[in-house]
């Protein structure tokens, strides 16, 4: 059997590497039109940083895992084609700012139809609006050169930073297909691939639309929990309650559960906001404005939380940060990844620059050029924004520190040494609630957490 995956990004690369590792008899080829990315997948410095990924790729690459720019050749040879291209929020035309941009999905569907001469199973791995499989089917049917196709939905639930663990041991694998004999056969073929390492009872099969919708709903529910606890964090700050204590107390109720109740400076990442906006747009398109408004509130609360964090910094520093040095620790949207898409840090740094602060960012995995480009735009410079090589360098001569990503190394810094090198009073704002505020206060810091 031959598998091709179109899109060598954060999902396509790790997912296919794990399939290749677990199914040595299947030849897996990951293709992308981005030649630089493919070259990186073929090098010692992978384009995606994920704990454990280097080892998986090292074992399978060259054996039954290949990375290539020959998109057409790999499609023609494959039995199963995963579509794992990006589906960003549309930035133009109808639905701008909310709907998913499906231009890459459509372009891939057209290429598949053009190149294929044998039967293929097409797997939607990208996150897409409900009914996208219907669009793909129509494009394939209208352009086929005689090949037949079965379209399946197989959304990915991995989280960045834990991608390898999540892929090795998923809570569930979801496969949606047409409820016809040919559809059922395609679902079985794909289920058999996962069954090599995933217990059968964790492989759920549904109709196409349930599978497509479940992906958006899963992300909406996860993000909703974060916005809910973040909303409560504002009330905690006003009342003297401690949001971590509240989260712990409510999370012990087995009906609520403890996960995704960590108050923060706001959720980031390429998907939560994008997928909720997509859900909101779908609800509006289907004439359900009350449902749309309900879910839009999750994104609005997240925007509020990010603004609230930077506003608190300015307020605490005597209502002015102009010309003050602020060390921002962490820039990735969460720990253990080099991904900065929609990171809360981007907004916090921009807010501080707008107040004419001098901002020095340190992140253990994000390149300086990426930080500059994310905040200012590619090729734009601002003397007020600099990147340091360590947390200590960033904090030297600073008036305040803002922890924005929960990297483990920020938990164990020598804060006494850092305090000694800062302007007084020295402030620390922990946007992740990872440091011991009592300890920092004992050292002399004016230390604040989120919701505490
Ligand atoms: P990404 O931007 O990292 O990767 C997508 C890749 O597709 C890019 O390298 C791009 O060059 C390539 N591509 C686009 N059009 C192409 C074409 N016509 N031919 C060949 N290559 C093409 O995106 P990602 O983070 O991997 O996400 C992919 C999809 O998976 C999205 O729909 C996303 O919502 C979903 N998803 C992402 C995550 C995650 O953790 N990042 C998790 C679950 C689901
Ligand atoms: C999320 C989902 O967890 C995955 O299941 C899904 O596959 C993926 O989106 C996707 O569709 O792309 P990811 O965004 O990689 O994964 O990472 P998460 O661990 O979910 O964190 C998202 C954001 O929420 C991060 O900024 C994180 O710091 C924040 N977060 C998370 C909190 O602020 N509090 C929490 O309790 C948990």
């Amino acid at each position: 059997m031959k598998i091709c995956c179109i899109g060598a990004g954060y999902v396509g690369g790790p997912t296919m590497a794990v399939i290749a590792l677990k199914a040595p008899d299947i030849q897996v080829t990951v293709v992308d039109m981005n030649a630089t990315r493919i070259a990186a997948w073929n090098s010692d410095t992978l384009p995606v940083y994920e704990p454990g990924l280097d080892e998986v790729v090292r074992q399978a690459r060259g054996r039954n895992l290949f990375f290539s720019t020959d998109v057409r050749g790999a499609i023609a040879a494959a039995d199963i084609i995963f579509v794992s291209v990006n589906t960003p929020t549309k930035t133009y035309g109808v639905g701008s700012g909310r709907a998913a941009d499906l231009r890459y999905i459509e372009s891939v569907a057209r290429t598949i139809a053009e190149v294929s001469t044998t039967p293929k199973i097409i797997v939607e791995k990208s996150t897409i609006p409900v009914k996208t499989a219907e669009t793909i089917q129509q494009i394939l049917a209208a352009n086929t050169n005689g090949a037949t196709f079965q379209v399946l939905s197989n959304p990915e639930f991995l989280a960045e930073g834990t991608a390898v663990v999540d892929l090795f041991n998923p809570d569930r694998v979801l496969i949606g297909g047409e409820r016809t004999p040919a559809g059922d056969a395609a679902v079985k073929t794909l289920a058999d691939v996962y069954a090599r390492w995933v217990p059968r009872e964790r492989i759920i099969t549904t109709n196409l639309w349930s599978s497509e919708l479940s992906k958006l709903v899963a992300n909406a529910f996860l993000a909703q929990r974060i916005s809910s606890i973040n909303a409560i964090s504002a009330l905690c700050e006003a009342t003297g309650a401690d949001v971590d204590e509240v989260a712990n107390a409510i999370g012990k109720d087995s009906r609520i559960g403890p996960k995704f109740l960590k108050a923060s400076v706001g959720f980031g990442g390429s998907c939560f906001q994008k997928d909720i906006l997509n859900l909101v747009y779908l609800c509006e398109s289907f004439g359900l404005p009350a449902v749309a408004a309900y879910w839009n509130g999750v994104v609005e609360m997240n925007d509020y939380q990010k603004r609230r964090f930077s506003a608190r910094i300015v307020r605490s520093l005597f209502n002015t940060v102009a010309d003050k040095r602020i060390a921002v620790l962490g820039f990735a949207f969460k720990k253990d990844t080099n991904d900065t898409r929609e990171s809360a840090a981007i907004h916090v740094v921009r807010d501080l620059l707008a107040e004419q602060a001098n901002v020095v960012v340190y992140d253990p995995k994000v390149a300086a050029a990426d930080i500059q480009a994310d905040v200012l735009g590619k090729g734009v410079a601002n003397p007020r924004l600099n990147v340091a090589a360590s947390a200590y360098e960033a904090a030297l001569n600073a008036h305040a520190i803002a922890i924005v990503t929960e990297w483990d190394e920020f938990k164990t810094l020598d804060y006494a040494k850092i305090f000694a090198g800062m302007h007084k009073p020295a402030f620390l704002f922990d946007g992740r609630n990872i440091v011991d505020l009592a300890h920092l206060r004992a050292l002399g810091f004016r230390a604040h957490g989120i919701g505490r």
Side-chain angles (χ1 to χ4, degrees):
M1 181 188 283
K2 285 189 176 154
I3 287 179
C4 155
C5 173
I6 309 172
Y10 284 85
V11 168
T15 312
M16 292 304 125
V18 169
I19 290 181
L21 182 79
K22 299 289 188 182
D25 56 309
I26 300 179
Q27 183 179 315
V28 181
T29 306
V30 190
V31 291
D32 204 296
M33 58 189 182
N34 181 336
T36 314
R37 218 165 199 188
I38 291 297
W41 279 111
N42 282 320
S43 77
D44 287 338
T45 313
L46 303 183
V48 168
Y49 171 72
E50 277 292 337
L53 183 61
D54 283 8
E55 182 55 22
V56 173
V57 171
R58 201 187 53 72
Q59 283 188 47
R61 194 174 55 193
R63 179 187 74 184
N64 63 326
L65 174 65
F66 303 93
F67 295 93
S68 163
T69 50
D70 180 12
V71 178
R72 299 170 80 87
I75 292 173
D79 305 295
I80 303 181
I81 301 165
F82 284 82
V83 178
S84 196
V85 298
N86 37 330
T87 49
T89 304
K90 230 181 140 191
T91 53
Y92 54 89
V94 176
S96 178
R98 285 171 308 156
D101 191 341
L102 295 179
R103 54 160 52 164
Y104 306 109
I105 295 275
E106 173 160 350
S107 135
V108 163
R110 288 182 185 278
T111 310
I112 294 173
E114 221 175 279
V115 170
S116 300
T117 52
T118 53
K120 315 268 182 211
I121 296 173
I122 315 299
V123 183
E124 296 172 340
K125 187 50 110 179
S126 299
T127 304
I128 32 73
V130 193
K131 293 282 182 178
T132 301
E134 199 170 80
T135 308
I136 296 177
Q137 279 159 345
Q138 285 177 20
I139 292 168
L140 292 172
N143 295 285
T144 180
N145 289 320
T148 53
F149 303 98
Q150 271 301 317
V151 179
L152 302 180
S153 159
N154 171 222
E156 184 49 60
F157 296 103
L158 69 80
E160 290 180 27
T162 54
V164 173
V165 177
D166 294 343
L167 288 165
F168 277 11
N169 189 24
D171 285 346
R172 78 315 208 173
V173 167
L174 178 58
I175 305 176
E178 260 183 42
R179 291 278 161 89
T180 58
D184 290 344
V187 168
K188 182 176 179 314
T189 303
L190 184 58
D192 287 346
V193 171
Y194 285 107
R196 288 150 190 266
W197 79 97
V198 180
R200 283 276 177 189
E201 63 276 13
R202 289 201 214 156
I203 303 176
I204 304 172
T205 59
T206 65
N207 79 29
L208 271 170
W209 320 132
S210 304
S211 174
E212 290 181 338
L213 183 57
S214 296
K215 174 62 195 177
L216 296 182
V217 174
N219 274 357
F221 270 60
L222 290 168
Q224 180 201 41
R225 284 174 68 93
I226 303 170
S227 276
S228 296
I229 199 68
N230 281 344
I232 297 304
S233 76
L235 187 57
C236 287
E237 284 164 31
T239 57
D242 180 318
V243 75
D244 279 355
E245 291 177 353
V246 174
N248 183 47
I250 65 167
K252 291 281 191 250
D253 185 327
S254 60
R255 295 168 301 174
I256 296 175
K259 294 183 181 169
F260 270 68
L261 284 183
K262 189 75 186 157
S264 68
V265 54
F267 60 74
S270 61
C271 292
F272 277 173
Q273 176 172 305
K274 157 176 90 68
D275 294 348
I276 295 170
L277 292 174
N278 187 344
L279 187 65
V280 167
Y281 185 71
L282 273 173
C283 294
E284 281 172 358
S285 307
F286 285 101
L288 303 167
V291 186
Y294 176 77
W295 287 107
N296 199 45
V298 173
V299 175
E300 283 174 355
M301 180 52 62
N302 198 49
D303 290 339
Y304 166 75
Q305 186 74 348
K306 289 182 276 191
R307 282 197 309 272
R308 215 169 69 74
F309 184 72
S310 27
R312 195 179 185 196
I313 296 177
V314 175
R315 198 173 61 246
S316 303
L317 270 77
F318 316 109
N319 289 310
T320 176
V321 291
D323 294 331
K324 290 180 182 167
R325 179 175 167 115
I326 310 222
V328 170
L329 301 189
F331 195 81
F333 81 98
K334 62 185 283 198
K335 73 171 182 177
D336 291 341
T337 176
N338 60 345
D339 194 347
T340 61
R341 290 177 290 181
E342 293 298 332
S343 178
I346 299 171
H347 301 269
V348 171
V349 172
R350 282 187 189 154
D351 286 352
L352 295 172
L353 290 176
E355 290 290 337
Q356 306 208 342
N358 294 322
V359 181
V360 187
V361 181
Y362 164 69
D363 187 283
K365 286 288 173 201
V366 182
D370 292 340
I371 293 173
Q372 299 273 359
D374 282 341
V375 175
L376 304 171
K378 244 197 170 87
V380 183
N382 178 342
R384 289 196 185 276
L385 176 62
N386 288 287
V387 177
S390 73
Y392 296 99
E393 185 189 321
L396 190 62
N397 293 321
H399 295 79
I401 295 171
I403 298 176
V404 180
T405 312
E406 71 280 23
W407 286 102
D408 286 339
E409 69 175 70
F410 301 152
K411 294 179 189 166
T412 52
L413 293 172
D414 182 348
Y415 282 103
K417 178 175 153 192
I418 287 177
F419 181 79
M422 288 177 66
H423 285 281
K424 308 295 179 318
F427 291 85
L428 185 141
F429 302 88
D430 183 0
R432 294 291 181 167
N433 289 350
I434 55 169
V435 292
D436 179 351
L437 291 186
H439 170 64
L440 290 174
R441 285 177 187 145
L443 291 174
F445 276 102
R446 295 199 183 175
H448 303 271
I450 293 281
R452 50 211 294 253

